[in-house]
Amino acid sequence: MAAARATGDVRLAGPRWTGEPPHILDLVEPRLGGRASAVADGTGTFSYRELDEVSRAVAHALLARGARPDEPVVVHGTASRHTIAALLGVLRAGCCYVPVDAGFPEERRRLMAQGCGARFVLVPEENETGAVAGLEHVALATRQRTGQPSGPADASRGTHAYTCFTSGSTGLPKPVTIAATSLGWSTAARLRHYAERVGAFLLCSSLSFDSSMAGIWWTLASGGLLVVPGGRPGDLLAVARAAERHHATHLLMVPSLYGAALRGGLAPRLRTLTTVIVAGESCSPALVARHLAELPQAELYNEYGPTECTVWATVHACAPADARARAVPIGRPIAGVTLHIAAAPDAPGTGELYIAGPGLAVPGTDAERFVDLHGTRHYRTGDLVTVREDGELLFRGRADHQLKLGGVRVERAEIERALTSCDGITDAGIGVSGAPRPRPVGFVVTGGTALDEQRVRAQLLRSLPTTALPARVIAVPALPRLPNGKVDYGTLDRRAAEVRR
């Protein structure tokens, strides 16, 4: 295992990016007009020609209503070929799409619509019920066509691509707006980095989360097939069925969901995959080991990147050595990205990560998190990392998830990694009881085997200081999750507060 650097501030740069980043439509519109299949869902398929016609009709409908350049337009729905056409149509109208998942609670959908300042909401026919109130509805008919040839729509190119809302278990949704050239850069960087061309990509994320943007635009810019499995995000049986039906080659999931797919015996149904990407959570060595054992034909990549940096900023190609390591790296910066790691005075060898590059969100978004370093705009992530001697980054948790236990600073992620290394534990989350004396409580998934709490505590002592041991370790059927699939720490904290010693 490579040693970690223990020096002061560190700067790392990815491969050089030459020229101006492309507008996302410059990558996608040349693909439109062909007969190849573009988007498939549970009820049908759009060819690239049909996708061109429907998205052009959406653009014309918005322009006819008086939509202005860069104006936010809500797209209300769940993932389908019609909502994908709507996203593209908004861009072709020169506007900025705001995807609002129809499966979200009504109050969250209302806050998202209000928070972006939209006048219009596009509503595919299958999502008309429960659409956001208070906006001017623009229906998206399933047979909507213009009959015009493919090519650029009759509108000026917008400078904004989309607005997503960062997810949290508490507080109000926070809008993050991404430029069309930032999305173009992020997509072009994928085309450059990944050797395997997208044949069929499984879309496993809600449209309201930025991870879905990676798969949508990467696939369409490749001329591949975007596959919407059906059901809600996280429906692993639907994912497996779609993978078999469409001979899927690529997917992106949060690590815990991908691990659940493998533990659920779905690997044989994913055998056509050539590229698997995990992102959004820490990837464990155990997951790498399981992947290599069950899907050795597919490359596994661990990506990292905040919403404010257009999906990704670093990537690591997983190898057998990662299965034996204490932690899986989040990799090196991608093309065009520069990283600054500010040394933490109370944690030698660890620093807070700042990111610069073409993917940074538009000015005005969460302004206090963007700072000037060395004359360049950076995003302050709040994430703690160390840098190995080989230049690979190791994620060490969140600065705001640090716990001070018995005078020792400890990350939730460190305790969780230690728990998942214990016999019989397949997943773990740490909840923290409130003041005046915070204490960690471990919630673990055992896959049906009986939990021996005393044995687990004995195993934890091999890797954790006594002060970092969970006050209790409790077996649960599954960890609570947010709509994007990440662990819901707010719920775990509330459960921890209710636990007696």
Side-chain angles (χ1 to χ4, degrees):
M1 180 177 69
R5 297 179 185 175
T7 56
D9 289 11
V10 176
R11 289 183 68 79
L12 300 173
R16 185 181 178 188
W17 183 273
T18 57
E20 294 297 319
H23 193 289
I24 185 59
L25 291 179
D26 290 335
L27 300 179
V28 174
E29 284 191 330
R31 298 287 185 178
L32 301 178
R35 295 183 179 180
S37 296
V39 189
D41 58 23
T43 62
T45 302
F46 277 162
S47 68
Y48 275 88
R49 177 177 297 176
E50 291 169 320
L51 181 62
D52 173 44
E53 293 177 352
V54 176
S55 62
R56 181 184 291 276
V58 170
H60 286 178
L62 288 171
L63 293 172
R65 300 285 187 102
R68 299 183 290 266
D70 290 331
E71 179 172 0
V73 176
V74 169
V75 178
H76 179 270
T78 53
S80 72
R81 66 188 191 279
H82 305 294
T83 47
I84 301 302
L87 302 183
L88 179 57
V90 173
L91 290 177
R92 300 182 86 184
C95 297
C96 172
Y97 65 81
V98 185
V100 175
D101 193 319
F104 281 7
E106 181 179 357
E107 177 65 8
R108 184 173 181 85
R109 289 184 281 127
R110 183 185 65 79
L111 290 172
M112 292 170 72
Q114 288 182 346
C116 70
R119 289 189 296 156
F120 302 110
V121 56
L122 280 168
V123 187
E125 290 178 347
E126 67 268 26
N127 295 119
E128 286 181 347
T129 302
V132 179
L135 303 182
E136 184 176 340
H137 287 215
V138 181
L140 177 60
T142 56
R143 295 180 178 82
Q144 202 166 10
R145 302 285 194 275
T146 65
Q148 297 183 10
S150 63
D154 301 325
S156 299
R157 289 284 172 87
T159 58
H160 297 171
Y162 65 86
T163 296
C164 275
F165 287 76
T166 55
S167 178
S169 56
T170 60
L172 297 175
K174 181 184 66 177
V176 176
T177 298
I178 298 298
T181 51
S182 294
L183 182 56
W185 159 79
S186 179
T187 303
R190 289 187 182 279
L191 294 169
R192 170 175 172 169
H193 183 84
Y194 288 101
E196 290 288 339
R197 176 185 171 275
V198 177
F201 185 99
L202 288 167
L203 185 63
C204 301
S205 303
S206 163
L207 289 181
S208 285
F209 296 108
D210 67 317
S211 59
S212 65
M213 303 308 144
I216 292 170
W217 303 112
W218 183 18
T219 303
L220 297 181
S222 301
L225 173 64
L226 181 67
V227 179
V228 180
R232 296 297 302 153
D235 185 340
L236 293 175
L237 288 178
V239 169
R241 287 193 295 268
E244 288 185 311
R245 184 182 311 118
H246 297 286
H247 306 287
T249 59
H250 291 61
L251 70 75
L252 188 157
M253 279 185 175
V254 293
S256 54
L257 190 61
Y258 182 56
L262 297 182
R263 291 194 303 273
L266 299 182
R269 305 177 72 174
L270 304 175
R271 62 189 179 279
T272 59
L273 290 173
T274 62
T275 303
V276 174
I277 300 169
V278 292
E281 297 173 336
S282 293
C283 174
S284 69
L287 179 60
V288 175
R290 188 148 205 162
H291 169 88
L292 294 175
E294 299 195 25
L295 288 174
Q297 84 288 350
E299 296 292 334
L300 177 65
Y301 296 89
N302 186 30
E303 283 189 6
Y304 163 86
T307 299
E308 292 83 354
C309 299
T310 316
V311 186
W312 69 325
T314 70
V315 61
H316 170 73
C318 296
D322 296 318
R324 302 184 297 271
R326 289 177 62 94
V328 179
I330 57 173
R332 295 183 172 90
I334 60 176
V337 167
T338 300
L339 307 178
H340 178 91
I341 298 97
D346 57 350
T350 300
E352 185 175 356
L353 180 62
Y354 294 72
I355 300 175
L360 266 60
V362 301
T365 297
D366 200 14
E368 71 276 7
R369 303 294 297 182
F370 290 88
V371 298
D372 184 277
L373 294 175
H374 310 290
T376 302
R377 185 170 176 253
H378 285 68
Y379 176 69
R380 182 180 183 180
T381 67
D383 291 330
L384 301 175
V385 298
T386 55
V387 186
R388 298 196 317 194
E389 289 295 339
D390 61 359
E392 293 269 340
L393 291 180
L394 294 170
F395 177 71
R396 296 304 191 192
R398 291 283 301 172
D400 53 6
H401 279 179
Q402 276 194 339
L403 311 175
K404 195 164 186 179
L405 305 169
V408 178
R409 293 188 180 276
V410 183
E411 295 289 337
R412 294 193 200 222
E414 182 180 356
I415 306 174
E416 290 167 350
R417 283 194 296 269
L419 281 169
T420 55
S421 70
C422 295
D423 295 339
I425 294 178
T426 59
D427 205 1
I430 290 294
V432 182
S433 64
R437 191 177 178 185
R439 58 193 176 94
V441 175
F443 296 91
V444 300
V445 179
T446 63
T449 59
L451 176 67
D452 185 337
E453 188 172 356
Q454 292 304 313
R455 183 181 182 189
V456 169
R457 293 177 67 83
Q459 291 178 326
L460 290 176
L461 282 170
R462 300 173 188 169
S463 56
L464 294 177
T466 304
T467 53
L469 289 181
R472 290 285 309 280
V473 179
I474 300 170
V476 294
L479 298 180
R481 299 198 176 276
L482 297 166
N484 62 357
K486 295 184 181 181
V487 173
D488 184 347
Y489 284 105
T491 295
L492 289 183
D493 289 347
R494 288 189 292 272
R495 291 182 184 178
E498 298 169 357
V499 172
R500 296 182 179 179
R501 290 184 184 272

